Amino acid sequence: MLWRWLGALALVAMVGAAVSWWSMRHWVPPRETYGVQGVEIGQGDGDIDWTAVKAIGADFAYIDASASAFARDPNVVKNLDGARAAGLQVGAVHRYDPCQPADRQAANFVTVVPRDAKMLPPAVALDDVADKCPVKVSDAAVVSELMTFINQIETHTGKPAILKIGSAFDARYHIARSLDRNLWVEGDRFPPDVGRPWAMWTANHALENNAGDAPLRWVVVQQ
């Protein structure tokens, strides 16, 4: 009897986990709470059917455009044009590298991202800390260089940047509370507590869809 009881419990747990997994793969926050919703798209997402993205409810698309001092998404122009043609607002994301000088990273970004007043504010993805840099970079230098980078891309775009902040980066450099910029947080189904209000939230990193080759990163706006 004990083994049957344990087996039944295990089966219930497996079914519950499968239901939870399926539910999360298809879940987006309610429109009643978050009236503006969209996607983040990068090279790993493959070819995107932007009409389908619009059809499933996206109002905007942030496109991963550049990273560090040299890397660029080869699909950035195609994705920007495709999203615009489908009627979505568009913005660009730069993945910041604490090991590289701000000037080089800003030059990479402005080469890829056009100066267009209709674009959404630029987003800076902050994930990596400086522990693995070939040359040691102090915490103070990381913050100083980041501010230089932000100032330069804001001059280019004419809009304040939004900081897409990772938990490890914030824990190390305390950016969320120290820099006066809108925040973009990440956390499946539940947004993290970053100590102050946020503007955007990646609510589902793996939304099932018919718009591309991979699950979508679904993002909502706090209003």
Side-chain angles (χ1 to χ4, degrees):
M1 290 293 295
L2 176 61
W3 292 112
R4 290 182 181 178
W5 182 72
L6 291 175
L9 284 180
L11 179 60
V12 169
M14 290 173 62
V15 171
V19 170
S20 178
W21 175 87
W22 188 93
S23 175
M24 188 62 210
R25 298 279 284 187
H26 296 82
W27 177 84
V28 298
R31 284 276 173 178
E32 294 79 10
T33 306
Y34 302 100
V36 179
Q37 306 194 11
V39 294
E40 181 185 2
I41 296 294
Q43 185 174 357
D45 296 306
D47 291 330
I48 299 297
D49 181 344
W50 287 105
T51 301
V53 172
K54 178 70 172 178
I56 63 176
D59 305 302
F60 66 87
Y62 264 91
I63 309 299
D64 294 344
S66 57
S68 189
F70 310 106
R72 301 168 185 174
D73 186 341
N75 294 326
V76 61
V77 174
K78 176 183 176 182
N79 282 331
L80 287 171
D81 289 346
R84 284 193 184 101
L88 279 69
Q89 288 187 282
V90 296
V93 181
H94 175 86
R95 188 163 300 280
Y96 189 77
D97 182 353
C99 302
Q100 289 290 334
D103 290 346
R104 294 180 184 175
Q105 297 196 63
N108 188 24
F109 179 85
V110 303
T111 300
V112 177
V113 178
R115 180 177 286 150
D116 184 346
K118 294 181 181 179
M119 289 186 68
L120 297 170
V124 185
L126 302 170
D127 296 306
D128 298 330
V129 298
D131 290 344
K132 296 183 179 180
C133 295
V135 178
K136 182 176 175 59
V137 182
S138 69
D139 289 0
V142 170
V143 175
S144 176
E145 285 290 291
L146 174 60
M147 279 306 306
T148 298
F149 172 80
I150 290 171
N151 289 334
Q152 291 182 354
I153 67 167
E154 288 179 343
T155 298
H156 174 71
T157 61
K159 296 179 180 179
I162 185 167
L163 306 182
K164 184 173 180 281
I165 192 159
S167 57
F169 193 96
D170 191 44
R172 178 69 170 270
Y173 304 113
H174 312 292
I175 294 299
R177 298 191 185 192
S178 63
L179 293 188
D180 185 20
R181 296 294 189 282
N182 283 330
L183 300 180
W184 176 347
V185 298
E186 299 183 281
D188 288 338
R189 198 179 283 273
F190 303 104
D193 182 3
V194 290
R196 68 177 178 89
W198 45 265
M200 294 172 60
W201 166 36
T202 302
N204 191 342
H205 284 82
L207 178 67
E208 285 293 335
N209 65 94
N210 297 317
D213 301 329
L216 290 174
R217 289 169 284 175
W218 197 256
V219 184
V220 299
V221 176
Q222 183 89 279
Q223 295 179 300

